[in-house]
């Protein structure tokens, strides 16, 4: 093939990377991007330029369905459309995996966003690809030099951060801003410190009691991961669990929490405290083939009983592999481990999934419960969910109960159990033991009418 006369645009695109490949840390594509931009810069006097990083959202599924060769043709057609929008000194590159980069010369914010808007509009009409009419969906991140960064590679990384921050619809196009870099670096720091905390064994479990409304008794507590970093202070699980899922640390975290909860349950049982402990299970942990086995191992190595533990499993943790989820749950249920569907209502709340899961309990997400005494829509949803749960043979637990009126309302709605600040916040093991020894007092405080009305 004559490399000076590429027959297709995609060949031109690839030529950016094909010659002069070298093993740089940043990879060949980045290396030649740098070379290319340096070359461009030597030809013009203007300082400003911009990078528009485009992602074809459906690229991977298209490649999976029609093949990579077909996608090359698609890219070729699409590239031609884009090329028609570019000025003399602009350049289009393919970075692979359906990502295209536009080098935009003399890019003021207005010129780059105008070009970006026009790029977005190119997909308003379908692209003919080997006789198929394909409508693409794009997202795009923009970074400008010298404002956002100067060096080409650094600028590309910022365009990528902008791209990652995009959402659906009108948010599919984003310009880089400094917050994105700060968030990126904060995520790195958090992950680093979390790994340190795991190896220092510096995490702990806090415990929040669940009140059985029929018997006015606490027989169960939920354990919640707590991490207080010496520098960052207390970090909320919602802030670190997602990062731990990403890094894979969630597997170590999950093992630790399970074993610690089982150990605590055994210790409490030995001292006459009859409470089962709920453990939150992360999706990535639950999807491991040996999950059920590891739970049963943690139980037997700590000397706990299967009935000492309840696993809180979110619906989203079951959805990827419903068959595996059912197998885990059936095995654990047969062994005597309690199973609850957690955060119900906040995810897909798929009835197809719910009807197939062999759980004992349904926990209604706290977002519906916190204001159930004030929000009539939440009231209706909660009433219907309690009825749904009961009809499916599940006991229903409301989480996030913050007031006596909510507790009373939930009792009227025939809810089986409640959990929330109104009864007790999550407490350290010691503090919970103290609470437990006074539990009758705490419970009667929580369930009685407002002070001053009857006494
Ligand atoms: O997603 P999940 O329901 O497991 O969330 C548990 C978190 O909710 C814990 O971090 C806990 O501190 C918090 N929490 C517990 N009870 C309440 C409550 O009554 N109100 C609110 N807003 N949060 C609560
Ligand atoms: Mn939970």
């Amino acid at each position: 093939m004559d490399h000076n006369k590429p027959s297709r645009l995609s060949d031109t695109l690839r030529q950016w990377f094909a010659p002069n490949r070298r093993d740089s840390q940043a990879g060949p594509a980045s290396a030649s991007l740098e070379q290319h931009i340096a070359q461009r810069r030597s030809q013009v006097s203007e300082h400003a330029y911009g990078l528009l990083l485009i992602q074809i959202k459906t690229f991977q599924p298209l490649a999976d369905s029609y093949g990579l060769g077909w996608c090359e043709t698609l890219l070729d057609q699409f590239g031609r459309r884009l090329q028609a929008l570019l000025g003399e000194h602009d350049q289009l590159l393919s970075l692979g995996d359906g990502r295209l980069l536009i080098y935009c010369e003399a890019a003021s914010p207005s010129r780059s966003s105008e070009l970006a808007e026009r790029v977005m509009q190119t997909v308003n009409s379908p692209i003919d690809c080997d006789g198929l009419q394909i409508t693409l969906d794009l997202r795009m991140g923009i970074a400008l030099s010298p404002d956002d960064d100067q060096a080409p590679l650094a600028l590309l990384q910022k365009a990528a951060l902008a791209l990652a921050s995009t959402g659906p619809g009108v948010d599919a196009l984003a310009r880089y801003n400094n917050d994105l870099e700060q968030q990126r670096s904060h995520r790195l720091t958090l992950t680093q410190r979390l790994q340190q905390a795991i190896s220092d064994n510096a995490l702990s479990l806090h415990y929040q009691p669940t009140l059985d409304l029929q018997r006015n008794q606490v027989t169960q507590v939920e354990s919640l991961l707590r991490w207080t970093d010496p520098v960052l202070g207390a970090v909320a699980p919602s802030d670190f669990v997602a990062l731990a899922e990403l890094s894979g640390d969630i597997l170590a975290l999950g093992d630790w929490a399970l074993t610690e909860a089982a150990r605590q349950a055994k210790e409490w049982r030995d001292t006459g405290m009859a409470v089962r402990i709920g453990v939150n299970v992360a999706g990535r942990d639950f999807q491991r083939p040996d999950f059920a086995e590891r739970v049963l191992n943690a139980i037997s190595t700590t000397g706990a009983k299967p009935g000492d533990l309840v696993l809180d499993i979110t619906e989203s943790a079951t959805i990827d592999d419903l068959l595996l989820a059912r197998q885990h749950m059936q095995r654990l249920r047969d062994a005597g481990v309690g199973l609850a569907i957690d955060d119900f209502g906040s995810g897909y709340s798929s009835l197809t999934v719910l009807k197939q899961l062999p759980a004992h309990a349904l926990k209604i997400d706290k977002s519906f419960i916190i204001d159930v005494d004030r929000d009539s829509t939440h009231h209706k949803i909660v009433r219907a969910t309690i009825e749904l749960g009961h009809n499916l043979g599940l006991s229903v637990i409301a989480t996030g109960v913050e007031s006596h009126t909510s507790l009373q309302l939930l009792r009227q709605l025939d809810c089986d159990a409640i959990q929330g600040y109104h009864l007790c916040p999550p407490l350290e093991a010691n503090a919970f033991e103290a609470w437990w020894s006074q539990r009758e007092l705490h419970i009667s405080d929580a369930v009685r009418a407002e002070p001053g009305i009857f006494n």
Side-chain angles (χ1 to χ4, degrees), residues 99 105 178 190 196 309 341 364 373 394 401 411 414:
R99 281 171 311 148
E105 187 57 53
N178 279 328
L190 262 188
Q196 189 63 47
L309 292 189
I341 307 298
I364 305 179
D373 53 346
L394 301 166
V401 176
R411 199 193 282 287
D414 208 16

Side-chain angles (χ1 to χ4, degrees), residues 222 224 280 312 342-343 363:
E222 175 170 355
L224 294 149
N280 289 286
D312 278 8
D342 207 5
D343 301 341
K363 297 183 88 166

Side-chain angles (χ1 to χ4, degrees), residues 84 102 110 226 232 239 292 331 341 364 423 437:
I102 293 175
S110 63
R226 287 292 180 267
L232 305 168
D239 289 342
R331 176 146 180 229
I341 307 298
I364 305 179
L423 176 69
S437 64

Side-chain angles (χ1 to χ4, degrees), residues 178-190:
N178 279 328
D179 287 350
L180 296 175
E181 174 55 29
Q182 272 171 18
Q183 289 159 11
R184 184 195 71 83
S185 116
H186 183 65
R187 285 191 291 267
L188 273 180
T189 309
L190 262 188

Side-chain angles (χ1 to χ4, degrees), residues 31 50 54 84 108 141 151-152 177 192 239 243 250 271 312 360 377 381 417 443:
I54 303 162
S108 61
N177 67 70
Q192 229 164 32
D239 289 342
L243 288 175
I250 198 69
T271 61
D312 278 8
H360 301 97
T377 307
I381 292 172
I443 293 169

